[in-house]
PDB file of all heavy atoms in Angstrom:
ATOM      1  N   GLU A 231     -19.096  11.630 -42.252  1.00  0.00           N
ATOM      2  CA  GLU A 231     -18.629  12.176 -43.538  1.00  0.00           C
ATOM      3  C   GLU A 231     -17.232  12.659 -43.478  1.00  0.00           C
ATOM      4  O   GLU A 231     -16.389  12.447 -44.344  1.00  0.00           O
ATOM      5  CB  GLU A 231     -19.531  13.366 -43.933  1.00  0.00           C
ATOM      6  CG  GLU A 231     -20.960  12.906 -44.261  1.00  0.00           C
ATOM      7  CD  GLU A 231     -21.903  12.736 -43.025  1.00  0.00           C
ATOM      8  OE1 GLU A 231     -21.467  13.037 -41.904  1.00  0.00           O
ATOM      9  OE2 GLU A 231     -23.068  12.331 -43.207  1.00  0.00           O
ATOM     10  N   LEU A 232     -16.836  13.258 -42.326  1.00  0.00           N
ATOM     11  CA  LEU A 232     -15.487  13.703 -42.126  1.00  0.00           C
ATOM     12  C   LEU A 232     -14.483  12.527 -42.143  1.00  0.00           C
ATOM     13  O   LEU A 232     -13.460  12.581 -42.781  1.00  0.00           O
ATOM     14  CB  LEU A 232     -15.283  14.429 -40.729  1.00  0.00           C
ATOM     15  CG  LEU A 232     -13.869  14.755 -40.279  1.00  0.00           C
ATOM     16  CD1 LEU A 232     -13.201  15.689 -41.256  1.00  0.00           C
ATOM     17  CD2 LEU A 232     -13.865  15.300 -38.903  1.00  0.00           C
ATOM     18  N   LEU A 233     -14.855  11.464 -41.421  1.00  0.00           N
ATOM     19  CA  LEU A 233     -14.015  10.290 -41.433  1.00  0.00           C
ATOM     20  C   LEU A 233     -13.908   9.634 -42.785  1.00  0.00           C
ATOM     21  O   LEU A 233     -12.865   9.102 -43.158  1.00  0.00           O
ATOM     22  CB  LEU A 233     -14.486   9.299 -40.373  1.00  0.00           C
ATOM     23  CG  LEU A 233     -14.445   9.797 -38.897  1.00  0.00           C
ATOM     24  CD1 LEU A 233     -14.968   8.788 -37.956  1.00  0.00           C
ATOM     25  CD2 LEU A 233     -13.022  10.331 -38.597  1.00  0.00           C
ATOM     26  N   GLN A 234     -14.967   9.730 -43.562  1.00  0.00           N
ATOM     27  CA  GLN A 234     -14.898   9.178 -44.929  1.00  0.00           C
ATOM     28  C   GLN A 234     -13.877  10.025 -45.797  1.00  0.00           C
ATOM     29  O   GLN A 234     -13.215   9.486 -46.617  1.00  0.00           O
ATOM     30  CB  GLN A 234     -16.276   9.194 -45.538  1.00  0.00           C
ATOM     31  CG  GLN A 234     -16.314   8.532 -46.988  1.00  0.00           C
ATOM     32  CD  GLN A 234     -15.849   7.132 -46.891  1.00  0.00           C
ATOM     33  OE1 GLN A 234     -16.435   6.320 -46.154  1.00  0.00           O
ATOM     34  NE2 GLN A 234     -14.805   6.751 -47.694  1.00  0.00           N
ATOM     35  N   VAL A 235     -13.872  11.334 -45.599  1.00  0.00           N
ATOM     36  CA  VAL A 235     -12.962  12.154 -46.296  1.00  0.00           C
ATOM     37  C   VAL A 235     -11.524  11.794 -45.986  1.00  0.00           C
ATOM     38  O   VAL A 235     -10.681  11.678 -46.858  1.00  0.00           O
ATOM     39  CB  VAL A 235     -13.149  13.699 -45.959  1.00  0.00           C
ATOM     40  CG1 VAL A 235     -12.052  14.527 -46.500  1.00  0.00           C
ATOM     41  CG2 VAL A 235     -14.494  14.138 -46.578  1.00  0.00           C
ATOM     42  N   LEU A 236     -11.224  11.465 -44.715  1.00  0.00           N
ATOM     43  CA  LEU A 236      -9.956  10.997 -44.265  1.00  0.00           C
ATOM     44  C   LEU A 236      -9.633   9.714 -44.982  1.00  0.00           C
ATOM     45  O   LEU A 236      -8.517   9.507 -45.472  1.00  0.00           O
ATOM     46  CB  LEU A 236      -9.822  10.917 -42.830  1.00  0.00           C
ATOM     47  CG  LEU A 236      -9.967  12.137 -41.986  1.00  0.00           C
ATOM     48  CD1 LEU A 236      -9.909  11.877 -40.505  1.00  0.00           C
ATOM     49  CD2 LEU A 236      -8.978  13.191 -42.353  1.00  0.00           C
ATOM     50  N   ALA A 237     -10.600   8.818 -45.033  1.00  0.00           N
ATOM     51  CA  ALA A 237     -10.362   7.486 -45.615  1.00  0.00           C
ATOM     52  C   ALA A 237     -10.080   7.611 -47.133  1.00  0.00           C
ATOM     53  O   ALA A 237      -9.217   6.970 -47.661  1.00  0.00           O
ATOM     54  CB  ALA A 237     -11.585   6.576 -45.407  1.00  0.00           C
ATOM     55  N   ASP A 238     -10.827   8.522 -47.756  1.00  0.00           N
ATOM     56  CA  ASP A 238     -10.631   8.826 -49.197  1.00  0.00           C
ATOM     57  C   ASP A 238      -9.273   9.378 -49.505  1.00  0.00           C
ATOM     58  O   ASP A 238      -8.766   9.145 -50.599  1.00  0.00           O
ATOM     59  CB  ASP A 238     -11.699   9.766 -49.728  1.00  0.00           C
ATOM     60  CG  ASP A 238     -13.080   9.191 -49.693  1.00  0.00           C
ATOM     61  OD1 ASP A 238     -13.282   7.968 -49.522  1.00  0.00           O
ATOM     62  OD2 ASP A 238     -14.045  10.059 -49.806  1.00  0.00           O
ATOM     63  N   ARG A 239      -8.600   9.980 -48.535  1.00  0.00           N
ATOM     64  CA  ARG A 239      -7.289  10.519 -48.688  1.00  0.00           C
ATOM     65  C   ARG A 239      -6.245   9.623 -48.105  1.00  0.00           C
ATOM     66  O   ARG A 239      -5.119  10.002 -47.874  1.00  0.00           O
ATOM     67  CB  ARG A 239      -7.252  11.919 -48.069  1.00  0.00           C
ATOM     68  CG  ARG A 239      -8.041  12.952 -48.854  1.00  0.00           C
ATOM     69  CD  ARG A 239      -8.021  14.267 -48.218  1.00  0.00           C
ATOM     70  NE  ARG A 239      -8.522  15.336 -49.050  1.00  0.00           N
ATOM     71  CZ  ARG A 239      -9.807  15.509 -49.448  1.00  0.00           C
ATOM     72  NH1 ARG A 239     -10.769  14.676 -49.049  1.00  0.00           N
ATOM     73  NH2 ARG A 239     -10.212  16.507 -50.165  1.00  0.00           N
ATOM     74  N   SER A 240      -6.659   8.397 -47.757  1.00  0.00           N
ATOM     75  CA  SER A 240      -5.773   7.380 -47.104  1.00  0.00           C
ATOM     76  C   SER A 240      -5.137   7.895 -45.873  1.00  0.00           C
ATOM     77  O   SER A 240      -3.947   7.557 -45.627  1.00  0.00           O
ATOM     78  CB  SER A 240      -4.696   6.966 -48.138  1.00  0.00           C
ATOM     79  OG  SER A 240      -5.272   6.379 -49.300  1.00  0.00           O
ATOM     80  N   LEU A 241      -5.881   8.663 -45.071  1.00  0.00           N
ATOM     81  CA  LEU A 241      -5.349   9.222 -43.802  1.00  0.00           C
ATOM     82  C   LEU A 241      -5.936   8.313 -42.689  1.00  0.00           C
ATOM     83  O   LEU A 241      -7.119   8.040 -42.626  1.00  0.00           O
ATOM     84  CB  LEU A 241      -5.721  10.637 -43.599  1.00  0.00           C
ATOM     85  CG  LEU A 241      -4.954  11.657 -44.429  1.00  0.00           C
ATOM     86  CD1 LEU A 241      -5.600  13.013 -44.259  1.00  0.00           C
ATOM     87  CD2 LEU A 241      -3.516  11.730 -43.910  1.00  0.00           C
ATOM     88  N   ARG A 242      -5.019   7.896 -41.843  1.00  0.00           N
ATOM     89  CA  ARG A 242      -5.441   7.140 -40.663  1.00  0.00           C
ATOM     90  C   ARG A 242      -6.037   8.068 -39.615  1.00  0.00           C
ATOM     91  O   ARG A 242      -5.625   9.227 -39.629  1.00  0.00           O
ATOM     92  CB  ARG A 242      -4.291   6.312 -40.085  1.00  0.00           C
ATOM     93  CG  ARG A 242      -3.818   5.226 -41.083  1.00  0.00           C
ATOM     94  CD  ARG A 242      -2.583   4.610 -40.538  1.00  0.00           C
ATOM     95  NE  ARG A 242      -1.519   5.597 -40.716  1.00  0.00           N
ATOM     96  CZ  ARG A 242      -0.214   5.427 -40.473  1.00  0.00           C
ATOM     97  NH1 ARG A 242       0.177   4.234 -39.971  1.00  0.00           N
ATOM     98  NH2 ARG A 242       0.609   6.346 -40.517  1.00  0.00           N
ATOM     99  N   TRP A 243      -6.834   7.547 -38.733  1.00  0.00           N
ATOM    100  CA  TRP A 243      -7.429   8.421 -37.643  1.00  0.00           C
ATOM    101  C   TRP A 243      -7.478   7.597 -36.394  1.00  0.00           C
ATOM    102  O   TRP A 243      -7.485   6.339 -36.432  1.00  0.00           O
ATOM    103  CB  TRP A 243      -8.777   8.983 -38.089  1.00  0.00           C
ATOM    104  CG  TRP A 243      -9.890   7.951 -38.121  1.00  0.00           C
ATOM    105  CD1 TRP A 243     -10.228   7.136 -39.165  1.00  0.00           C
ATOM    106  CD2 TRP A 243     -10.887   7.747 -37.122  1.00  0.00           C
ATOM    107  NE1 TRP A 243     -11.291   6.328 -38.789  1.00  0.00           N
ATOM    108  CE2 TRP A 243     -11.728   6.737 -37.535  1.00  0.00           C
ATOM    109  CE3 TRP A 243     -11.103   8.292 -35.819  1.00  0.00           C
ATOM    110  CZ2 TRP A 243     -12.776   6.264 -36.776  1.00  0.00           C
ATOM    111  CZ3 TRP A 243     -12.109   7.819 -35.114  1.00  0.00           C
ATOM    112  CH2 TRP A 243     -12.958   6.835 -35.573  1.00  0.00           C
ATOM    113  N   GLY A 244      -7.541   8.298 -35.315  1.00  0.00           N
ATOM    114  CA  GLY A 244      -7.674   7.625 -34.012  1.00  0.00           C
ATOM    115  C   GLY A 244      -8.289   8.589 -32.972  1.00  0.00           C
ATOM    116  O   GLY A 244      -8.557   9.812 -33.321  1.00  0.00           O
ATOM    117  N   VAL A 245      -8.307   8.148 -31.782  1.00  0.00           N
ATOM    118  CA  VAL A 245      -8.998   8.828 -30.653  1.00  0.00           C
ATOM    119  C   VAL A 245      -7.931   8.908 -29.500  1.00  0.00           C
ATOM    120  O   VAL A 245      -7.284   7.913 -29.225  1.00  0.00           O
ATOM    121  CB  VAL A 245     -10.248   8.142 -30.183  1.00  0.00           C
ATOM    122  CG1 VAL A 245     -10.774   8.794 -28.926  1.00  0.00           C
ATOM    123  CG2 VAL A 245     -11.248   8.204 -31.274  1.00  0.00           C
ATOM    124  N   VAL A 246      -7.799  10.006 -28.913  1.00  0.00           N
ATOM    125  CA  VAL A 246      -7.093  10.263 -27.645  1.00  0.00           C
ATOM    126  C   VAL A 246      -8.042  10.941 -26.650  1.00  0.00           C
ATOM    127  O   VAL A 246      -8.517  12.076 -26.940  1.00  0.00           O
ATOM    128  CB  VAL A 246      -5.800  11.103 -27.892  1.00  0.00           C
ATOM    129  CG1 VAL A 246      -5.071  11.298 -26.582  1.00  0.00           C
ATOM    130  CG2 VAL A 246      -4.951  10.458 -28.936  1.00  0.00           C
ATOM    131  N   THR A 247      -8.339  10.260 -25.580  1.00  0.00           N
ATOM    132  CA  THR A 247      -9.328  10.772 -24.641  1.00  0.00           C
ATOM    133  C   THR A 247      -8.870  10.670 -23.236  1.00  0.00           C
ATOM    134  O   THR A 247      -8.025   9.801 -22.964  1.00  0.00           O
ATOM    135  CB  THR A 247     -10.682   9.985 -24.788  1.00  0.00           C
ATOM    136  OG1 THR A 247     -11.655  10.469 -23.860  1.00  0.00           O
ATOM    137  CG2 THR A 247     -10.536   8.514 -24.606  1.00  0.00           C
ATOM    138  N   ASN A 248      -9.346  11.507 -22.376  1.00  0.00           N
ATOM    139  CA  ASN A 248      -9.073  11.341 -20.908  1.00  0.00           C
ATOM    140  C   ASN A 248     -10.044  10.325 -20.328  1.00  0.00           C
ATOM    141  O   ASN A 248      -9.801   9.945 -19.188  1.00  0.00           O
ATOM    142  CB  ASN A 248      -9.265  12.695 -20.219  1.00  0.00           C
ATOM    143  CG  ASN A 248      -8.023  13.598 -20.418  1.00  0.00           C
ATOM    144  OD1 ASN A 248      -6.894  13.096 -20.574  1.00  0.00           O
ATOM    145  ND2 ASN A 248      -8.241  14.896 -20.390  1.00  0.00           N
ATOM    146  N   LYS A 249     -11.067   9.873 -20.986  1.00  0.00           N
ATOM    147  CA  LYS A 249     -11.967   8.954 -20.487  1.00  0.00           C
ATOM    148  C   LYS A 249     -11.303   7.566 -20.123  1.00  0.00           C
ATOM    149  O   LYS A 249     -10.377   7.180 -20.927  1.00  0.00           O
ATOM    150  CB  LYS A 249     -13.069   8.681 -21.471  1.00  0.00           C
ATOM    151  CG  LYS A 249     -14.184   7.787 -21.006  1.00  0.00           C
ATOM    152  CD  LYS A 249     -15.193   7.450 -22.074  1.00  0.00           C
ATOM    153  CE  LYS A 249     -16.068   8.610 -22.538  1.00  0.00           C
ATOM    154  NZ  LYS A 249     -17.130   8.995 -21.551  1.00  0.00           N
ATOM    155  N   SER A 250     -11.550   7.055 -19.013  1.00  0.00           N
ATOM    156  CA  SER A 250     -10.945   5.722 -18.611  1.00  0.00           C
ATOM    157  C   SER A 250     -11.247   4.649 -19.611  1.00  0.00           C
ATOM    158  O   SER A 250     -12.338   4.617 -20.126  1.00  0.00           O
ATOM    159  CB  SER A 250     -11.387   5.329 -17.280  1.00  0.00           C
ATOM    160  OG  SER A 250     -11.007   6.232 -16.282  1.00  0.00           O
ATOM    161  N   MET A 251     -10.316   3.724 -19.759  1.00  0.00           N
ATOM    162  CA  MET A 251     -10.501   2.588 -20.646  1.00  0.00           C
ATOM    163  C   MET A 251     -11.684   1.815 -20.340  1.00  0.00           C
ATOM    164  O   MET A 251     -12.391   1.300 -21.220  1.00  0.00           O
ATOM    165  CB  MET A 251      -9.197   1.744 -20.618  1.00  0.00           C
ATOM    166  CG  MET A 251      -9.282   0.581 -21.603  1.00  0.00           C
ATOM    167  SD  MET A 251      -7.711  -0.379 -21.676  1.00  0.00           S
ATOM    168  CE  MET A 251      -7.584  -1.013 -20.051  1.00  0.00           C
ATOM    169  N   ARG A 252     -12.091   1.653 -18.996  1.00  0.00           N
ATOM    170  CA  ARG A 252     -13.251   0.891 -18.684  1.00  0.00           C
ATOM    171  C   ARG A 252     -14.497   1.452 -19.279  1.00  0.00           C
ATOM    172  O   ARG A 252     -15.554   0.690 -19.384  1.00  0.00           O
ATOM    173  CB  ARG A 252     -13.357   0.715 -17.157  1.00  0.00           C
ATOM    174  CG  ARG A 252     -13.757   1.953 -16.438  1.00  0.00           C
ATOM    175  CD  ARG A 252     -13.913   1.580 -14.966  1.00  0.00           C
ATOM    176  NE  ARG A 252     -14.040   2.825 -14.119  1.00  0.00           N
ATOM    177  CZ  ARG A 252     -14.467   2.868 -12.830  1.00  0.00           C
ATOM    178  NH1 ARG A 252     -14.777   1.675 -12.275  1.00  0.00           N
ATOM    179  NH2 ARG A 252     -14.612   3.952 -12.191  1.00  0.00           N
ATOM    180  N   PHE A 253     -14.510   2.681 -19.666  1.00  0.00           N
ATOM    181  CA  PHE A 253     -15.699   3.324 -20.352  1.00  0.00           C
ATOM    182  C   PHE A 253     -15.437   3.397 -21.854  1.00  0.00           C
ATOM    183  O   PHE A 253     -16.331   3.179 -22.651  1.00  0.00           O
ATOM    184  CB  PHE A 253     -16.064   4.686 -19.840  1.00  0.00           C
ATOM    185  CG  PHE A 253     -16.211   4.599 -18.284  1.00  0.00           C
ATOM    186  CD1 PHE A 253     -15.467   5.473 -17.438  1.00  0.00           C
ATOM    187  CD2 PHE A 253     -17.189   3.801 -17.710  1.00  0.00           C
ATOM    188  CE1 PHE A 253     -15.699   5.399 -16.036  1.00  0.00           C
ATOM    189  CE2 PHE A 253     -17.398   3.755 -16.372  1.00  0.00           C
ATOM    190  CZ  PHE A 253     -16.609   4.552 -15.570  1.00  0.00           C
ATOM    191  N   THR A 254     -14.265   3.781 -22.212  1.00  0.00           N
ATOM    192  CA  THR A 254     -13.892   4.031 -23.616  1.00  0.00           C
ATOM    193  C   THR A 254     -14.096   2.693 -24.466  1.00  0.00           C
ATOM    194  O   THR A 254     -14.685   2.780 -25.506  1.00  0.00           O
ATOM    195  CB  THR A 254     -12.448   4.488 -23.784  1.00  0.00           C
ATOM    196  OG1 THR A 254     -12.184   5.690 -22.947  1.00  0.00           O
ATOM    197  CG2 THR A 254     -12.131   4.840 -25.263  1.00  0.00           C
ATOM    198  N   ASP A 255     -13.533   1.647 -23.947  1.00  0.00           N
ATOM    199  CA  ASP A 255     -13.589   0.387 -24.708  1.00  0.00           C
ATOM    200  C   ASP A 255     -15.004  -0.082 -25.010  1.00  0.00           C
ATOM    201  O   ASP A 255     -15.409  -0.271 -26.165  1.00  0.00           O
ATOM    202  CB  ASP A 255     -12.776  -0.738 -24.092  1.00  0.00           C
ATOM    203  CG  ASP A 255     -11.276  -0.503 -24.260  1.00  0.00           C
ATOM    204  OD1 ASP A 255     -10.890   0.449 -24.976  1.00  0.00           O
ATOM    205  OD2 ASP A 255     -10.517  -1.317 -23.713  1.00  0.00           O
ATOM    206  N   PRO A 256     -15.884  -0.227 -23.976  1.00  0.00           N
ATOM    207  CA  PRO A 256     -17.181  -0.677 -24.349  1.00  0.00           C
ATOM    208  C   PRO A 256     -18.032   0.356 -25.171  1.00  0.00           C
ATOM    209  O   PRO A 256     -18.849  -0.100 -26.023  1.00  0.00           O
ATOM    210  CB  PRO A 256     -17.900  -0.934 -22.969  1.00  0.00           C
ATOM    211  CG  PRO A 256     -17.037  -0.321 -21.955  1.00  0.00           C
ATOM    212  CD  PRO A 256     -15.691  -0.128 -22.559  1.00  0.00           C
ATOM    213  N   LEU A 257     -17.755   1.610 -24.967  1.00  0.00           N
ATOM    214  CA  LEU A 257     -18.458   2.613 -25.705  1.00  0.00           C
ATOM    215  C   LEU A 257     -18.104   2.581 -27.187  1.00  0.00           C
ATOM    216  O   LEU A 257     -18.959   2.519 -28.054  1.00  0.00           O
ATOM    217  CB  LEU A 257     -18.187   3.963 -25.122  1.00  0.00           C
ATOM    218  CG  LEU A 257     -18.852   5.183 -25.799  1.00  0.00           C
ATOM    219  CD1 LEU A 257     -20.427   5.130 -25.708  1.00  0.00           C
ATOM    220  CD2 LEU A 257     -18.404   6.455 -25.111  1.00  0.00           C
ATOM    221  N   THR A 258     -16.788   2.506 -27.443  1.00  0.00           N
ATOM    222  CA  THR A 258     -16.349   2.578 -28.853  1.00  0.00           C
ATOM    223  C   THR A 258     -16.627   1.278 -29.508  1.00  0.00           C
ATOM    224  O   THR A 258     -16.899   1.231 -30.684  1.00  0.00           O
ATOM    225  CB  THR A 258     -14.864   2.944 -28.971  1.00  0.00           C
ATOM    226  OG1 THR A 258     -14.054   2.091 -28.162  1.00  0.00           O
ATOM    227  CG2 THR A 258     -14.636   4.398 -28.530  1.00  0.00           C
ATOM    228  N   GLN A 259     -16.584   0.140 -28.793  1.00  0.00           N
ATOM    229  CA  GLN A 259     -16.824  -1.165 -29.409  1.00  0.00           C
ATOM    230  C   GLN A 259     -18.325  -1.319 -29.719  1.00  0.00           C
ATOM    231  O   GLN A 259     -18.706  -2.031 -30.717  1.00  0.00           O
ATOM    232  CB  GLN A 259     -16.468  -2.240 -28.480  1.00  0.00           C
ATOM    233  CG  GLN A 259     -14.921  -2.394 -28.333  1.00  0.00           C
ATOM    234  CD  GLN A 259     -14.460  -3.256 -27.176  1.00  0.00           C
ATOM    235  OE1 GLN A 259     -15.238  -3.893 -26.573  1.00  0.00           O
ATOM    236  NE2 GLN A 259     -13.161  -3.262 -26.984  1.00  0.00           N
ATOM    237  N   ALA A 260     -19.167  -0.557 -29.064  1.00  0.00           N
ATOM    238  CA  ALA A 260     -20.652  -0.595 -29.398  1.00  0.00           C
ATOM    239  C   ALA A 260     -21.054   0.275 -30.534  1.00  0.00           C
ATOM    240  O   ALA A 260     -22.172   0.183 -31.059  1.00  0.00           O
ATOM    241  CB  ALA A 260     -21.442  -0.214 -28.044  1.00  0.00           C
ATOM    242  N   MET A 261     -20.142   1.155 -30.942  1.00  0.00           N
ATOM    243  CA  MET A 261     -20.528   2.138 -31.955  1.00  0.00           C
ATOM    244  C   MET A 261     -19.721   1.798 -33.291  1.00  0.00           C
ATOM    245  O   MET A 261     -18.490   1.820 -33.264  1.00  0.00           O
ATOM    246  CB  MET A 261     -20.149   3.590 -31.490  1.00  0.00           C
ATOM    247  CG  MET A 261     -20.911   3.995 -30.285  1.00  0.00           C
ATOM    248  SD  MET A 261     -20.574   5.647 -29.708  1.00  0.00           S
ATOM    249  CE  MET A 261     -21.706   6.505 -30.797  1.00  0.00           C
ATOM    250  N   PRO A 262     -20.390   1.475 -34.348  1.00  0.00           N
ATOM    251  CA  PRO A 262     -19.711   1.061 -35.580  1.00  0.00           C
ATOM    252  C   PRO A 262     -18.732   2.014 -36.170  1.00  0.00           C
ATOM    253  O   PRO A 262     -17.819   1.692 -36.788  1.00  0.00           O
ATOM    254  CB  PRO A 262     -20.873   0.863 -36.602  1.00  0.00           C
ATOM    255  CG  PRO A 262     -22.057   0.574 -35.667  1.00  0.00           C
ATOM    256  CD  PRO A 262     -21.849   1.319 -34.391  1.00  0.00           C
ATOM    257  N   LEU A 263     -18.968   3.295 -35.845  1.00  0.00           N
ATOM    258  CA  LEU A 263     -18.097   4.380 -36.266  1.00  0.00           C
ATOM    259  C   LEU A 263     -16.583   4.101 -35.975  1.00  0.00           C
ATOM    260  O   LEU A 263     -15.718   4.393 -36.788  1.00  0.00           O
ATOM    261  CB  LEU A 263     -18.529   5.725 -35.621  1.00  0.00           C
ATOM    262  CG  LEU A 263     -17.613   6.930 -35.943  1.00  0.00           C
ATOM    263  CD1 LEU A 263     -18.028   7.505 -37.332  1.00  0.00           C
ATOM    264  CD2 LEU A 263     -17.753   7.983 -34.901  1.00  0.00           C
ATOM    265  N   PHE A 264     -16.343   3.485 -34.849  1.00  0.00           N
ATOM    266  CA  PHE A 264     -14.974   3.291 -34.416  1.00  0.00           C
ATOM    267  C   PHE A 264     -14.280   2.060 -34.932  1.00  0.00           C
ATOM    268  O   PHE A 264     -13.075   1.906 -34.615  1.00  0.00           O
ATOM    269  CB  PHE A 264     -14.930   3.354 -32.873  1.00  0.00           C
ATOM    270  CG  PHE A 264     -15.398   4.716 -32.353  1.00  0.00           C
ATOM    271  CD1 PHE A 264     -16.676   4.887 -31.857  1.00  0.00           C
ATOM    272  CD2 PHE A 264     -14.530   5.744 -32.376  1.00  0.00           C
ATOM    273  CE1 PHE A 264     -17.109   6.116 -31.467  1.00  0.00           C
ATOM    274  CE2 PHE A 264     -14.993   7.005 -31.881  1.00  0.00           C
ATOM    275  CZ  PHE A 264     -16.248   7.169 -31.386  1.00  0.00           C
ATOM    276  N   ALA A 265     -14.973   1.249 -35.803  1.00  0.00           N
ATOM    277  CA  ALA A 265     -14.310   0.123 -36.326  1.00  0.00           C
ATOM    278  C   ALA A 265     -13.153   0.452 -37.206  1.00  0.00           C
ATOM    279  O   ALA A 265     -12.215  -0.323 -37.359  1.00  0.00           O
ATOM    280  CB  ALA A 265     -15.347  -0.695 -37.116  1.00  0.00           C
ATOM    281  N   SER A 266     -13.169   1.646 -37.780  1.00  0.00           N
ATOM    282  CA  SER A 266     -12.074   2.033 -38.693  1.00  0.00           C
ATOM    283  C   SER A 266     -10.968   2.849 -38.023  1.00  0.00           C
ATOM    284  O   SER A 266     -10.033   3.266 -38.719  1.00  0.00           O
ATOM    285  CB  SER A 266     -12.684   2.826 -39.946  1.00  0.00           C
ATOM    286  OG  SER A 266     -13.254   4.052 -39.513  1.00  0.00           O
ATOM    287  N   ALA A 267     -11.112   3.067 -36.819  1.00  0.00           N
ATOM    288  CA  ALA A 267     -10.096   3.833 -36.016  1.00  0.00           C
ATOM    289  C   ALA A 267      -8.813   3.000 -35.913  1.00  0.00           C
ATOM    290  O   ALA A 267      -8.830   1.816 -35.626  1.00  0.00           O
ATOM    291  CB  ALA A 267     -10.561   4.253 -34.640  1.00  0.00           C
ATOM    292  N   GLN A 268      -7.706   3.617 -36.205  1.00  0.00           N
ATOM    293  CA  GLN A 268      -6.367   2.961 -36.145  1.00  0.00           C
ATOM    294  C   GLN A 268      -5.856   2.909 -34.724  1.00  0.00           C
ATOM    295  O   GLN A 268      -5.005   1.998 -34.395  1.00  0.00           O
ATOM    296  CB  GLN A 268      -5.362   3.706 -37.015  1.00  0.00           C
ATOM    297  CG  GLN A 268      -5.762   3.661 -38.453  1.00  0.00           C
ATOM    298  CD  GLN A 268      -5.775   2.272 -39.071  1.00  0.00           C
ATOM    299  OE1 GLN A 268      -4.835   1.564 -38.937  1.00  0.00           O
ATOM    300  NE2 GLN A 268      -6.842   1.873 -39.641  1.00  0.00           N
ATOM    301  N   ALA A 269      -6.309   3.778 -33.840  1.00  0.00           N
ATOM    302  CA  ALA A 269      -5.898   3.774 -32.418  1.00  0.00           C
ATOM    303  C   ALA A 269      -6.919   4.428 -31.544  1.00  0.00           C
ATOM    304  O   ALA A 269      -7.572   5.385 -32.010  1.00  0.00           O
ATOM    305  CB  ALA A 269      -4.534   4.556 -32.320  1.00  0.00           C
ATOM    306  N   ILE A 270      -7.049   3.900 -30.381  1.00  0.00           N
ATOM    307  CA  ILE A 270      -7.939   4.501 -29.347  1.00  0.00           C
ATOM    308  C   ILE A 270      -7.108   4.520 -28.088  1.00  0.00           C
ATOM    309  O   ILE A 270      -6.845   3.438 -27.537  1.00  0.00           O
ATOM    310  CB  ILE A 270      -9.277   3.794 -29.231  1.00  0.00           C
ATOM    311  CG1 ILE A 270     -10.074   3.864 -30.556  1.00  0.00           C
ATOM    312  CG2 ILE A 270     -10.079   4.397 -28.107  1.00  0.00           C
ATOM    313  CD1 ILE A 270     -11.381   3.165 -30.569  1.00  0.00           C
TER     314      ILE A 270
END
């Protein structure tokens, strides 16, 4: 719902994490939520 509010306001969103890419990429690719992220 929060991400939908951002989309409704034409605000881009992304993720900045300390998690290694070898875990971040498969995790976020498996979760539909992250399809609209502008940056990970």
Side-chain angles (χ1 to χ4, degrees):
E231 294 82 2
L232 170 63
L233 298 180
Q234 186 58 55
V235 169
L236 296 178
D238 292 347
R239 289 176 169 74
S240 299
L241 285 169
R242 295 173 289 183
W243 72 277
V245 172
V246 179
T247 179
N248 279 331
K249 186 184 289 286
S250 296
M251 182 173 64
R252 70 175 170 167
F253 304 123
T254 305
D255 285 357
L257 181 60
T258 57
Q259 289 167 8
M261 300 180 83
L263 176 81
F264 296 98
S266 64
Q268 298 295 307
I270 298 179

